[in-house]
């Protein structure tokens, strides 16, 4: 008689690595030994420092979180088909993380004694295990195929999380604690305790010759093999395995796995003949994995409460800080952080929708505007958003709008809870002025275009950078087309829009001195946003709209496109693209340094180099403003 349960198990496992590399008969035999385990939400699968079980696990349904004991930060989430708890069995070590059911979960427990012979026989399974060690995930293919950061298009210009990790050199400890070969073991242990470290370097003539770890003390001293009066030389691991200081996460993990060690000694040239510059531990690697964008993305998608999202956003800011410190190109940084911001907003919307008493009466679109709409919101700045909902009969309009105003209010409150400040000008979907049906939005934008007063220009300049974050994209597409049709029928609008772009105050005075605020809360501070960033952003908007390009919102990318469309102005446009990224990076650094929006800069806190770099962008600002003035004949409008 056939075992239908084991058949179902085999049928499930065959879809996921490494089981998809097995012969059908091998998988059927293995499935007979599998135990099915049910876990309620928040129940522990295994604890940190617990001895390894006799089996590892595969998630059948639900999800399992991996984290440090006592920490609220989730380092990874394993979902359907993911393998976890395997490495401690192969490395014969305790669990380094706590595994807990993130939601109600069904697990398949695979006996290691039955799996190991298959892994030794099958080269494809062996390769999977090597990759899983290198990528620090139970399933190295899960991020590649199910956790894409930029959707499912497979565009070669998009960056997956493993490429991001390859770009980043991993952080390591440079605070080296050392001893000599003749140092007594008791002194070594006291020194390690005093400095709260898990290893110590043994030196001879200022060069590393050995290493002693906690593991050495447990196995060689606590067991009685050596007395505490023996010397460091008797228990140290030697000769040393050394590596160069610039290692990626994957290289570090491969090195540890290859040599079955938990610490890497890094030297100036990677050999033991040069001075040690640092030590890299498994803990350092776990910290690095916690800042993996794919891990953060998965955690965002599984968050069911605003408070959880707020905690995740702290991880996003740590990720941003790390990218800036390692000088990752800002274009790439912006894309990653923007994707994580959009994912956070989407999850807030989903949570808010789940709390509404009824489903939305008609399809709707949530628009992110301003810096988020342009993909330039790296810091937690204020909200700018709007709702478009599908047209309804006149008698249903008020009730429908009231529904979406309530939803907008809940979403805005949720965004505020996770760290995005309310818009001081109330340009949010909770405001009736920013929550309309498609037909009403067409009327509003046509009014802005055909009656371009100062208020209308300001509103349109913010609104025209919108990006669809959630909902029915076709509603936004139809509105975009109507906007471009209206603009083409009233070309004078570009002159008014260009005039608005020229209203920002100059960044420098007659002697190229910084022009600072003369009064108010920010007296004597330099307004980076108003005086430098906004002129470049506003100019890009009016120029790209004049070319009827509606698919590019990011300022740097707008200028790059303009450089293609107008080869004669290519040099200026590429200078503007560079300046926009340099200024955004400068503002982000300042914001992280002072824990604010980075808008107002204390000039006395800048060094000479920073001031020079900032001043270099002023010439670009003046040149692009001159181009606007001439092209759109703004002076004629002001006469």
């Amino acid at each position: 008689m056939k075992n239908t349960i084991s058949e179902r198990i085999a049928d499930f496992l065959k879809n996921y690595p490494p089981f998809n590399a097995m012969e059908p008969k091998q998988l059927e035999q293995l499935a007979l030994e599998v135990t099915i385990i049910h876990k309620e939400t928040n129940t522990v699968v295994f604890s940190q420092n617990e001895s390894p079980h006799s089996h590892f696990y595969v998630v059948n349904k639900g999800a399992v979180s991996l984290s440090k004991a006592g920490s609220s930060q989730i380092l990874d989430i394993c979902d359907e088909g993911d393998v976890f708890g395997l490495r401690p069995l192969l490395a014969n070590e305790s669990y380094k993380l706590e595994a807990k059911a993130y939601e109600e979960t069904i697990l398949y427990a695979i006996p290691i004694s039955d799996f190991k012979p298959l892994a030794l026989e099958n080269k494809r399974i062996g390769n999977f295990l090597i990759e899983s060690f290198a990528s620090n995930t139970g399933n190295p293919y899960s991020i590649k195929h199910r956790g894409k950061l930029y959707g499912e298009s497979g565009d070669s210009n998009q960056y997956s999380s493993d490429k991001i990790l390859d770009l980043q050199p991993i952080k390591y400890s440079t605070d080296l604690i050392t001893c000599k070969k003749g140092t007594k073991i008791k002194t070594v242990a006291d020194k390690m305790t005093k400095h709260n470290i898990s290893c110590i370097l043994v030196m001879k003539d200022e060069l590393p010759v050995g290493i002693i770890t906690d593991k050495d003390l447990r196995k060689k001293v606590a067991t009685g093999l050596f007395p505490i009066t023996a010397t460091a030389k008797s228990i140290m691991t030697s000769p040393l395995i050394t590596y160069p200081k610039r290692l990626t996460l994957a290289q570090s993990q491969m090195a540890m796995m290859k040599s079955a060690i938990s610490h890497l000694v890094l030297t100036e040239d990677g050999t033991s003949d040069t001075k040690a510059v640092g030590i890299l531990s498994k803990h350092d690697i776990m910290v690095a994995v916690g800042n993996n964008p794919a891990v953060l993305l998965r955690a965002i998608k599984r968050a069911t409460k605003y408070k959880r999202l707020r905690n995740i956003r702290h991880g996003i800011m740590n990720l941003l800080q790390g990218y800036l410190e390692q000088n990752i190109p800002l274009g790439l940084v912006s894309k990653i952080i923007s994707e994580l911001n959009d994912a956070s907003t989407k999850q807030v919307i989903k949570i808010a929708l789940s709390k509404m008493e009824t489903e939305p009466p008609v399809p709707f679109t949530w628009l992110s505007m301003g810096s988020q709409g342009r993909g330039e919101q790296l810091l937690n700045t204020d909200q700018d958003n709007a709702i478009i909902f599908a047209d309804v009969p006149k008698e249903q309009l008020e009730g429908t709008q009231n529904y979406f105003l309530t939803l907008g209010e809940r979403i805005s409150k949720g965004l505020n809870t996770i760290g995005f400040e309310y818009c001081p000008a109330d340009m949010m979907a909770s405001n009736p002025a920013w929550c309309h049906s498609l037909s009403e939005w067409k009327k509003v934008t046509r009014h802005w275009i055909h009656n371009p007063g100062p208020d209308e220009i300001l509103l349109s300049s913010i609104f025209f950078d919108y990006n669809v974050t959630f909902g029915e994209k076709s509603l936004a597409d139809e509105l975009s087309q109507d906007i471009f049709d209206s603009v083409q029928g009233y070309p004078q609008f570009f002159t008014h829009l260009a005039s608005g772009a020229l209203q920002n105050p100059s960044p420098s005075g007659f002697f190229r001195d910084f022009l600072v605020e003369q009064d108010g809360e920010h007296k004597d501070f330099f307004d980076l946003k108003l005086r430098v960033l906004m002129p470049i952003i506003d100019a890009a908007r009016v120029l790209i709209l004049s070319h009827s390009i509606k698919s590019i919102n990011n300022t740097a990318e707008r200028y790059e496109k303009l450089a293609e469309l107008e080869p004669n102005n290519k040099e200026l446009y590429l200078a503007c693209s560079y300046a926009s990224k340099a200024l955004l990076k400068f503002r982000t650094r300042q914001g992280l340094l002072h824990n604010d929006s980075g808008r107002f800069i204390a000039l006395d806190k800048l060094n000479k180099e920073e001031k020079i770099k900032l001043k270099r962008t002023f010439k670009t600002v003046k040149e692009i403003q001159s181009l606007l003035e001439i092209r759109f004949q703004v002076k004629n409008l002001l006469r």
Side-chain angles (χ1 to χ4, degrees), residues 536-553:
I536 290 181
I537 291 168
D538 291 342
R541 182 188 304 110
V542 63
L543 287 165
I544 207 77
L545 284 172
S546 70
H547 282 281
S548 296
I549 303 294
K550 57 185 176 183
S551 57
I552 304 175
N553 284 0

Side-chain angles (χ1 to χ4, degrees), residues 324-325 327 379 584-594:
L324 293 179
E325 287 175 359
N327 220 21
L379 300 168
L584 182 59
K585 188 173 187 177
F586 187 86
R587 178 180 180 178
T588 304
R589 286 186 185 278
Q590 290 294 311
L592 290 171
L593 182 63
H594 301 292

Side-chain angles (χ1 to χ4, degrees), residues 255-434:
M256 286 187 181
M257 176 182 141
K258 179 182 177 182
S259 304
I261 53 180
S262 59
H263 294 78
L264 300 181
V265 178
L266 309 179
T267 63
E268 289 176 348
D269 67 356
T271 73
S272 57
D273 297 325
T274 55
K275 288 186 177 182
V277 294
I279 289 181
L280 180 67
S281 68
K282 282 188 177 180
H283 172 73
D284 296 323
I285 290 177
M286 290 310 303
V287 170
V289 170
N291 283 339
N292 181 330
V295 172
L296 291 168
L297 189 66
R298 293 169 75 180
I300 288 168
K301 289 182 176 180
R302 288 194 172 273
T304 56
K305 294 182 179 179
Y306 299 140
K307 185 178 179 182
R308 174 70 190 127
L309 277 174
R310 186 177 182 87
N311 292 336
I312 294 169
R313 290 206 56 76
H314 292 316
I316 296 174
M317 289 299 102
N318 290 337
L319 180 69
L320 174 60
Q321 180 89 54
Y323 283 164
L324 293 179
E325 287 175 359
Q326 293 156 24
N327 220 21
I328 304 299
L330 192 77
L332 175 56
V333 174
S334 294
K335 288 183 184 295
I336 296 170
I337 302 301
S338 293
E339 286 290 340
L340 293 171
N341 283 341
D342 282 351
S344 299
T345 302
K346 285 177 185 176
Q347 201 62 19
V348 166
I349 295 170
K350 289 178 180 178
I351 295 170
L353 280 169
S354 70
K355 294 181 178 180
M356 296 292 286
E357 293 180 1
T358 60
E359 295 288 320
V362 292
F364 75 100
T365 301
W366 181 271
L367 303 180
S368 296
M369 304 183 300
S371 58
Q372 187 177 355
R374 294 190 301 272
E376 297 166 2
Q377 190 180 39
L378 301 185
L379 300 168
N380 290 341
T381 51
D382 57 273
Q383 306 175 36
D384 291 300
N385 45 59
I387 284 178
I388 309 172
F389 55 87
D391 290 333
V392 294
K394 189 175 180 180
E395 62 273 13
Q396 296 176 19
L397 181 59
E398 184 179 351
T400 304
Q401 186 183 37
N402 286 338
Y403 176 93
F404 286 110
L405 284 171
T406 301
L407 177 62
E409 187 175 350
R410 292 186 179 183
I411 295 170
S412 292
K413 186 176 180 180
L415 290 172
N416 180 257
T417 301
I418 72 169
F420 295 104
E421 296 295 328
Y422 291 119
C423 175
D426 202 22
M427 295 179 182
M428 299 181 292
S430 53
N431 181 347
W434 296 94

Side-chain angles (χ1 to χ4, degrees), residues 94-154:
S94 301
Y95 293 114
K96 301 300 182 186
L97 297 172
E98 179 181 76
K100 188 182 289 187
Y102 192 81
E103 56 193 50
E104 188 175 358
T105 301
I106 295 176
L107 302 173
Y108 290 157
I110 317 288
I112 190 64
S113 58
D114 294 282
F115 176 79
K116 210 167 186 178
L118 299 176
L120 294 173
E121 292 173 15
N122 192 313
K123 185 178 179 181
R124 286 176 63 195
I125 297 176
N127 288 339
F128 168 89
L129 296 178
I130 291 173
E131 288 203 39
S132 72
F133 271 76
S135 63
N136 204 36
T137 177
N139 183 352
Y141 311 113
S142 63
I143 293 174
K144 191 182 297 182
H145 295 305
R146 291 206 308 278
K148 283 188 178 179
L149 194 60
Y150 295 113
E152 305 302 323
S153 68

